[in-house]
Amino acid sequence: KYVQFSTSPDAIETKWVFGDGNFSTEANPLHAFGKAGTYYMAVVVTNAAGCSDTADAEIRVNELNLALSVSQEVMETGKEVELNTSADRSYRIVGWEPTALFPEQNRKRQRIYPNETVVIFVKGISEQGCVDTARVTVYVKPELRMPTAFSPNGDGLNDYFAPFVNGKRYKVSTFQIFNR
């Protein structure tokens, strides 16, 4: 997040020391602190008469450490998965992705029933306006089903022998049938 600093219009020379190893000679710099923490900064201004003055301040930069946990990372297709968010400070949820899985976008806790592996993202914002995103991958084991019989007689019922993976039929290029 960027912070806009400004000095008096009477200043003809300005030097900002941000307390994070960076400085600027711009009158109104836009600065981003790289990480959360407390920074001691100062500004020295000089006017047209050659008079200088210094001002200093303590800047506290907050961040939101949003976390997303899942009840089960590897699961069978269609089983319930519970997703829980947490953070190190007060926050609210502003969105989940993929959105089709989450009709209630502002809930901190969700339950889904995925049929395939999915990467889930959640975005939160703290009371101070800090934004963070967390993600988790839920792996769904492919469900393989093989028919126990088939009757290729053209009646439209069980005419084809094919494996089904997660409900989708796949073409078999070669297979053998053995009679006891």
Side-chain angles (χ1 to χ4, degrees):
K1 194 158 191 171
Y2 289 92
V3 179
Q4 180 75 58
F5 295 96
S6 62
T7 58
S8 164
D10 296 336
I12 60 165
E13 189 177 309
T14 306
K15 181 164 184 182
W16 294 91
V17 179
F18 297 110
D20 62 356
N22 294 299
F23 66 92
S24 175
T25 57
E26 295 178 29
N28 303 307
L30 185 64
H31 183 70
F33 292 91
K35 60 183 180 176
T38 301
Y39 300 92
Y40 301 95
M41 61 165 298
V43 60
V44 179
V45 293
T46 305
N47 66 14
C51 298
S52 295
D53 197 7
T54 302
D56 57 17
E58 179 181 289
I59 303 288
R60 186 168 297 140
V61 178
N62 295 319
E63 67 182 351
L64 175 64
N65 292 309
L66 185 65
L68 178 59
S69 62
V70 60
S71 61
Q72 194 173 350
E73 283 188 35
V74 179
M75 56 168 290
E76 296 176 13
T77 185
K79 299 290 182 180
E80 180 183 89
V81 174
E82 187 173 307
L83 302 154
N84 292 302
T85 62
S86 61
D88 58 351
R89 63 186 63 243
S90 180
Y91 70 101
R92 64 185 170 86
I93 297 300
V94 294
W96 291 83
E97 299 250 349
T99 55
L101 291 177
F102 305 101
E104 296 182 50
Q105 286 286 301
N106 299 323
R107 293 186 64 189
K108 291 183 178 181
R109 175 178 286 168
Q110 299 275 3
R111 287 195 169 127
I112 60 170
Y113 302 85
N115 290 320
E116 59 189 11
T117 297
V118 61
V119 179
I120 297 166
F121 295 89
V122 62
K123 184 176 184 180
I125 186 167
S126 73
E127 292 174 349
Q128 296 81 19
C130 302
V131 176
D132 196 12
T133 303
R135 73 170 240 183
V136 69
T137 302
V138 176
Y139 297 94
V140 176
K141 295 180 206 172
E143 181 182 37
L144 173 64
R145 291 189 178 190
M146 294 292 292
T148 56
F150 74 108
S151 57
N153 59 7
D155 67 356
L157 300 171
N158 302 314
D159 286 334
Y160 299 98
F161 180 84
F164 289 84
V165 179
N166 291 347
K168 296 177 186 173
R169 184 170 62 178
Y170 284 82
K171 182 179 177 182
V172 175
S173 59
T174 304
F175 74 100
Q176 295 177 332
I177 299 175
F178 296 90
N179 188 338
R180 300 189 255 193

